[in-house]
Amino acid sequence: MGGQREVTTSLDAVRDKNIMQLKKMNTALFPVRYNDKYYADALASGEFTKLAYYSDICVGAIACRLEKKEARVDRVYIMTLGVLAPYRGIGIGTTLLNHVIDLASKTNVAEVYLHVQTNNDDALNFYKKFGFEVTETIENYYMNITPPDCYVLTKFITQSQPPK
């Protein structure tokens, strides 16, 4: 009997050299094809967009867009968060989302928000566990999926105070 190797989850930044990993992940996870602006926004968000690896296999990703007001980042929009089906339920999505929430807090971002299709109960329950709340309902938000309506879920960030 050989010793068992510990399986680790790690996050890696999305850069020009690995953007294809994000594109492949999105193709596997979502029924939508994302345009060049999506990928430009993901790259521009720096540390807010991450690939998740489980035992060195890319199994998930979170992609964000930074929204600025008066030259500082005011809000972070989660464009996509997904984990391949066989790897769900073991904390990878939680790791990705906590990374963004923690980074938002450290960088004094006021809120993190996203859109969720109104019938996606799994996603709604997942985000609510992290303190996201429904702040708006938008009818006919999605063009090619049914139902076309979505909720806007928002988490208002409590700013971390610098040590005294």
Side-chain angles (χ1 to χ4, degrees):
M1 298 269 174
Q4 285 195 319
R5 197 167 74 93
E6 186 177 323
V7 177
T8 59
T9 301
S10 61
L11 302 183
D12 189 23
V14 174
R15 303 175 289 283
D16 284 331
K17 72 175 191 167
N18 66 0
I19 192 80
M20 282 308 296
Q21 284 288 103
L22 180 60
K23 290 180 180 183
K24 287 178 183 177
M25 193 60 48
N26 286 345
T27 299
L29 290 168
F30 305 113
V32 186
R33 295 294 162 258
Y34 293 97
N35 61 25
D36 290 342
K37 182 176 180 347
Y38 166 98
Y39 292 102
D41 287 344
L43 284 169
S45 78
E47 289 296 309
F48 281 97
T49 294
K50 291 288 188 180
L51 295 169
Y53 291 85
Y54 181 79
S55 206
D56 297 329
I57 301 164
C58 188
V59 298
I62 190 165
C64 298
R65 179 180 71 226
L66 306 181
E67 297 183 357
K68 297 181 179 182
K69 185 188 274 184
E70 295 167 14
R72 67 178 278 283
V73 175
D74 183 51
R75 303 191 317 165
V76 172
Y77 174 62
I78 298 175
M79 298 186 293
T80 53
L81 167 59
V83 175
L84 296 174
Y87 299 93
R88 292 181 189 152
I90 58 174
I92 296 168
T94 294
T95 299
L96 286 163
L97 186 56
N98 277 333
H99 168 78
V100 167
I101 292 169
D102 292 346
L103 188 57
S105 179
K106 289 176 187 167
T107 56
N108 295 318
V109 170
E111 63 187 69
V112 177
Y113 77 105
L114 61 133
H115 296 93
V116 173
Q117 195 175 12
T118 54
N119 68 339
N120 192 341
D121 292 333
D122 288 344
L124 290 168
N125 293 330
F126 175 75
Y127 289 109
K128 285 180 178 180
K129 285 191 301 190
F130 293 87
F132 283 80
E133 54 193 78
V134 175
T135 52
E136 186 180 355
T137 302
I138 303 174
E139 293 183 4
N140 299 312
Y141 178 78
Y142 298 109
M143 292 182 190
N144 299 319
I145 55 177
T146 302
D149 305 336
C150 78
Y151 295 122
V152 176
L153 273 68
T154 305
K155 178 174 178 65
F156 298 96
I157 305 295
T158 305
Q159 303 306 321
S160 57
Q161 299 299 316
K164 293 183 179 189

